[in-house]
Amino acid sequence: MKKRILLCLVIGSMLIQCMGVTACGKKLTKYSMYSFDYFDTVTTISGYAKDEEEFDRIAEGMLEELGEYHRLFTIYHRFDGLENLCTVNELVDGMHRTVTVDRRIIDMLLYAREMYEATNGIVNIAMGSVLSLWHEYREAGIDDPYAAKLPPMEKLTEAAKHTDINQMVIDEEACTVTLTDPSMTLDVGAIAKGYAVEMIARSLEEREITGYVINVGGNVRTVGAKGDGETWTVGIENPEDSVNSYLAYLGLSGEALVTSGSYQRYYVVDGKRYHHIIHPETLMPSEDYLSVSVVCTSSADGDAFSTALFCMNLTDGMALVEKLPEIEAMWVETDGTRHTSTGFERYVKNIEKR
């Protein structure tokens, strides 16, 4: 489902203003389109074009590409005639088979392996056996809150024995993937959306299309500046009131903003919230922060590192960010205390005071 609008639209963490501008002698107008079809979230595309027809052509192409990534990367659905991550995870006679996949899956899995190394194993797409347990219990708890339970630790501990990313064997030349542990499954939830958004943004850049911003469920990537040359204004949601307020407004032009938060997906057991960001060592939801927001040049990196930082203590997380010149971050602790990395302020247009 999609709809074009010429009004101010704020969805997720993005705040953008509608206006007409003139560039190279041609008047550019800002248009927006949104969809609920992919990655189980809302997608918003906004951009400046000389007319609605031009915008529609570009935006619909972006949505078509996003749909392709959705079908390739989902672990929950099969599609006729398509080998995707769902079929990679399937067992045949008790074993995973060697699956020939689209090159885009291979590239994403290779990137995931790089992020495993870069985050010291915190971002691990081989955690599917553990995350599927949490998903099962979370869905059951949402459906029947009075019967909500935590997954038993003995089940989680057993599942954690089958999370060795080295059991994911990739043949780049043949474009095949084999999971050599029958009890291991992949879960790319910490990477897939951000990676897909980044690939779409790079596709625009390669075609020298600028003045666009795409937001897929809070994974925001700007492609160049707005039509008038000004930066896009992007808001960081207040995790204590994500519907009505923002902690800060950033000015972005070619950068991405991604937030991981405990307020986004959770269920309640015995009066306590349990969110979806699971620490690979404790096998429980990380409890230090309400949210961690990352600004960087890549939406894929933003997705991965926001998850990793959410699972790290502040000292270690800050040290990691300071080593990475293209990444800045804001942490919001459970008591509302905020911390920012050294270079974060250069993006800030306005910040709400406590």
Side-chain angles (χ1 to χ4, degrees), residues 6 17 33 65 68 87 114 145 154 164 168 175 180 224 226 232 259-260 262 270 274 291-292 296 354:
L6 294 177
Q17 295 181 342
M33 180 181 290
E65 191 173 357
E68 292 174 2
T87 61
E114 292 176 7
E154 57 269 24
D164 181 2
M168 177 181 70
C175 273
T180 56
K226 295 194 297 184
W232 294 94
T259 297
S260 291
S262 61
D270 296 331
Y274 292 87
S291 69
V292 177
C296 58
R354 285 187 59 80

Side-chain angles (χ1 to χ4, degrees), residues 34-205:
Y34 63 88
S35 167
F36 296 94
D37 295 334
Y38 308 121
F39 290 98
D40 298 317
T41 190
V42 62
T43 294
T44 306
I45 297 171
S46 295
Y48 286 82
K50 66 178 184 296
D51 55 41
E52 191 173 46
E53 182 179 356
E54 178 185 71
F55 172 79
D56 284 352
R57 175 177 55 80
I58 293 171
E60 287 174 359
M62 294 167 69
L63 285 178
E64 182 178 349
E65 191 173 357
L66 184 67
E68 292 174 2
Y69 282 111
H70 168 80
R71 289 185 287 274
L72 290 171
F73 294 168
T74 182
I75 62 172
Y76 298 112
H77 303 289
R78 293 190 57 148
F79 297 91
D80 290 342
L82 178 68
E83 298 281 23
N84 62 3
L85 291 186
C86 182
T87 61
V88 169
N89 278 343
E90 287 178 346
L91 295 175
V92 177
D93 296 328
M95 300 291 292
H96 294 294
R97 61 191 174 91
T98 296
V99 183
T100 302
V101 297
D102 188 287
R103 179 68 206 192
R104 287 170 290 184
I105 290 180
I106 297 294
D107 290 341
M108 187 273 291
L109 296 179
L110 292 173
Y111 173 79
R113 187 177 281 168
E114 292 176 7
M115 287 300 101
Y116 177 85
E117 298 296 333
T119 62
N120 295 317
I122 294 178
V123 175
N124 180 8
I125 64 168
M127 285 279 292
S129 56
V130 172
L131 298 180
S132 63
L133 276 172
W134 276 104
H135 178 81
E136 175 189 341
Y137 277 77
R138 182 170 61 250
E139 291 299 302
I142 291 172
D143 290 341
D144 186 357
Y146 294 103
K149 297 178 181 179
L150 297 179
M153 183 52 67
E154 57 269 24
K155 285 189 176 183
L156 292 170
T157 302
E158 179 60 31
K161 297 176 182 178
H162 305 283
T163 59
D164 181 2
I165 198 170
N166 294 314
Q167 300 299 310
M168 177 181 70
V169 178
I170 297 173
D171 185 328
E172 290 189 60
E173 185 174 345
C175 273
T176 62
V177 184
T178 312
L179 305 183
T180 56
D181 179 350
S183 296
M184 188 179 92
T185 58
L186 302 180
D187 186 313
V188 296
I191 287 180
K193 274 194 306 178
Y195 184 90
V197 169
E198 183 60 25
M199 293 302 103
I200 293 168
R202 292 184 187 183
S203 176
L204 292 180
E205 291 169 342

Side-chain angles (χ1 to χ4, degrees), residues 15-33:
L15 179 79
I16 44 184
Q17 295 181 342
C18 178
M19 60 184 297
V21 299
T22 301
C24 300
K26 297 179 181 179
K27 183 177 181 180
L28 301 179
T29 303
K30 190 189 82 65
Y31 300 90
S32 293
M33 180 181 290

